[in-house]
Amino acid sequence: MLNHPRSHGLWQETAPALALADTPPLTGPAEADVVIVGAGYTGLSAALHLAEAGLRAVVLEAAEVGFGASGRNVGLVNAGMWTLPDQMPKALGPLYGPRLLELLGSAPAEVFALIARHGIACEAVRNGTLHCGVGAAGLAELTERARQWRARGAPVELLDAAEAYHRIGGGSYAGALWDRRAGTVQPLAYGRGLARAAMAAGAVIHARSPATGIVREGGDWVARSPAGQVRAKWLVLATDVYTRQVAAGLRREQVRLPYFNMATPPLPPEIRATILPGGEGCWDTRQVLSSFRLDADGRLVFGSVGQLATPDFAVHRAWALRAMHRIFPQLRGIGFATHWFGWIGMTGDHLPRLHLPGENAIAMAGYNGRGIAPGTVFGKAIAAHVAGDLPLEAMPLPVSRLAPAPLRRGRELVFRAGAVALHLLSDH
C-alpha cells in the first residue's frame, strides 16, 4: 500500500520540483561522517545542520524526498504534542518533561525561521491554528489545554462559539483554541526546500536508494543499497513508521494509522473570502478527527482518519463531502479534485521515542501525527549530538528501548474498520 495510486495528490502537483539529477541513486562505494536513512523532515533537518557544522552527511532514501508522511500530511505546523502540557512531566519526569515542552513550544518558530533563512518556497502562513471544540466535552478539553499553555506563557486564546464561527467561516463548534505560535506550510514543498538547503550546505542525498542492510564493520557503520554502500562513523535512522527493510523495530513499536486528505479545486474568490479569512489551519476534538485548511490557491484541503483503498475510498469520500458541506454550506456543489493518504505512527503515550540502536547510532520515531515542527527540531538536536555539541544527557528526550506495541496488528485493523464504520454511519 505504500505505493498506492492515491498516495500523493495536491502536494505532489503543486510543490516546486526537485530535479532527479540532484538526488541520483547511490552507485558504488561512498564515505561520510554520517549516513542518514530517510529523507523526511528529521533526516533532512539533521543533514542540513550536520552540513552546516562542517560534517559530511549522506542521506539514503528508498523512494523520493518527502515520499512518506512528510509529503502527505495536511501541513499544520503545530506547537506541542497531543499530550496535555501538565502530563509531560508525569510521563517523562521533572527533567525531560519541561525540556520537551520548551522545545516543542518553540518548534514552529524554528520551522518558520528555517524557511526564511533559506528562502524555502512552501506557502508558509504563520497566522496560527484553530483546535475546534465539538460539544461541551470538546470545549472543556480546550479550556483545560488553554489554561495549561497560558500558565507557561504561551500565546494561546480560547475563542467562544461566535468567535470560532467568525474565524472559521462556518461550523457549529462550541469554541476553538487559537494558537498564534503555529501556522501552515505546503508540506512537500517544505521537505524539498530542506533538501535543497542541505545539499547547498554540502550534504548528499540519494533517492531511489533503499537501505537494504546496515552492519557494523571495524568501528564504522556500513549502509548497503542495491547499487552501492555508504561507510560512516555515525548512523542516523529517520524512517519512522515508513520503516521497511532495516530497523524494523521502529515500525513495530508503533500502531500505524491511515490518514487521508482531499482537496477541492481552487474556490471562486467570493466563496474563498468567506472561509478561514485569517488563513489558520484547523482540526477538531473528535477521536476520529477532521482537519481542514486552505492552500495558497484557495483550495480547501479536508482530511480525516481512513485509507483510500477500494472499497474504503467511496465511503470516506462520501463522508468528507457531507462533513465539508455541513461546515461550509457555501461549498455545496463543489467536490474534490484530488485525493491522497499516508500513515501516522502512534505510540502508547502519544510521545516520540529516542533510541540508540548501537554505538554511534541514533534513531527518532513516533511523531503521532505531529511531524513537521518536532521532526525539524529533533533533526537539529540529533545533528548537534553527533557533532559533539549536545551531550546525550542534554537531549530533549530520554533514551528508550525498542518495544513492540501490544496487539499492534489487531489495533491497526480496528482503526481502519472503525473509521469506515464511523464515516459510513455519520453525517459528520
Side-chain angles (χ1 to χ4, degrees):
M1 298 309 299
L2 292 176
N3 294 301
H4 190 277
R6 296 192 185 101
S7 290
H8 279 106
L10 175 63
W11 307 140
Q12 186 75 21
E13 293 178 6
T14 62
L18 185 64
L20 296 177
D22 292 336
T23 59
L26 175 68
T27 56
E31 294 191 359
D33 297 307
V34 189
V35 59
I36 300 168
V37 183
Y41 302 131
T42 305
L44 295 169
S45 176
L48 169 59
H49 289 96
L50 284 165
E52 289 179 336
L55 297 177
R56 179 171 171 78
V58 173
V59 182
L60 297 181
E61 164 57 45
E64 308 295 337
V65 167
F67 172 83
S70 299
R72 305 164 196 248
N73 66 83
V74 69
L76 304 185
V77 186
N78 281 311
M81 303 292 288
W82 291 107
T83 307
L84 285 165
D86 284 359
Q87 293 298 318
M88 289 278 200
K90 296 177 183 178
L92 297 174
L95 176 62
Y96 287 103
R99 184 182 293 173
L100 184 61
L101 269 175
E102 181 179 356
L103 178 74
L104 296 182
S106 61
E110 178 69 24
V111 170
F112 291 110
L114 274 178
I115 290 169
R117 185 162 75 245
H118 295 286
I120 298 175
C122 61
E123 303 179 12
V125 177
R126 195 180 183 185
N127 287 350
T129 54
L130 297 169
H131 194 177
C132 305
V134 178
L139 182 59
E141 175 192 334
L142 297 182
T143 300
E144 180 59 19
R145 194 175 289 273
R147 184 194 68 79
Q148 293 184 22
W149 274 121
R150 282 201 299 261
R152 292 166 170 81
V156 301
E157 180 180 346
L158 187 66
L159 309 179
D160 64 21
E163 292 169 322
Y165 183 90
H166 174 73
R167 296 204 73 87
I168 295 167
S172 56
Y173 297 106
L177 182 61
W178 181 23
D179 189 339
R180 292 184 180 88
R181 298 170 294 181
T184 62
V185 295
Q186 208 276 32
L188 181 58
Y190 174 59
R192 289 178 175 176
L194 283 179
R196 291 189 189 89
M199 291 186 290
V204 175
I205 300 174
H206 293 291
R208 303 171 302 286
S209 301
T212 55
I214 300 175
V215 296
R216 190 92 168 128
E217 287 184 359
D220 292 334
W221 289 100
V222 178
R224 298 193 175 99
S225 196
Q229 67 178 35
V230 181
R231 178 180 292 271
K233 294 294 183 184
W234 274 88
L235 167 69
V236 174
L237 297 174
T239 50
D240 200 26
V241 81
Y242 278 82
T243 300
R244 284 187 275 177
Q245 297 190 55
V246 299
L250 297 178
R251 164 70 179 92
R252 289 194 295 265
E253 75 172 349
Q254 302 178 71
V255 175
R256 195 171 70 173
L257 179 72
Y259 200 91
F260 69 82
N261 286 289
M262 301 184 179
T264 69
L267 301 176
E270 64 275 13
I271 294 179
R272 176 180 179 176
T274 68
I275 295 174
L276 294 168
E280 302 91 349
C282 304
W283 78 104
D284 64 32
T285 58
R286 287 184 173 88
Q287 186 171 7
V288 179
L289 61 83
S290 302
S291 59
F292 50 93
R293 56 163 292 200
L294 291 171
D295 81 336
D297 292 324
R299 301 174 181 89
L300 185 75
V301 182
F302 198 93
S304 185
V305 177
Q307 182 174 312
L308 299 187
T310 304
D312 303 21
F313 172 69
V315 172
H316 295 313
R317 186 179 185 277
W319 169 85
L321 282 170
R322 295 194 304 271
M324 180 181 73
H325 293 157
R326 180 177 288 269
I327 299 171
F328 302 112
Q330 61 269 48
L331 295 184
R332 292 192 184 279
I334 297 177
F336 297 117
T338 52
H339 320 79
W340 68 101
F341 82 101
W343 301 101
I344 295 171
M346 306 295 291
T347 59
D349 58 4
H350 293 170
L351 292 174
R353 300 286 190 266
L354 173 67
H355 300 300
L356 300 181
E359 184 180 358
N360 286 0
I362 193 165
M364 280 294 310
Y367 290 125
N368 293 270
R370 289 289 185 91
I372 298 178
T376 301
V377 295
F378 280 126
K380 181 180 180 180
I382 288 170
H385 174 65
V386 171
D389 298 326
L390 186 65
L392 188 62
E393 58 272 17
M395 289 288 282
L397 275 174
V399 175
S400 59
R401 293 180 178 273
L402 281 167
L407 305 174
R408 175 176 60 86
R409 293 184 184 277
R411 291 162 67 191
E412 290 174 351
L413 291 173
V414 168
F415 272 132
R416 177 179 177 180
V420 170
L422 182 67
H423 289 167
L424 183 64
L425 299 174
S426 173
D427 63 355
H428 184 194

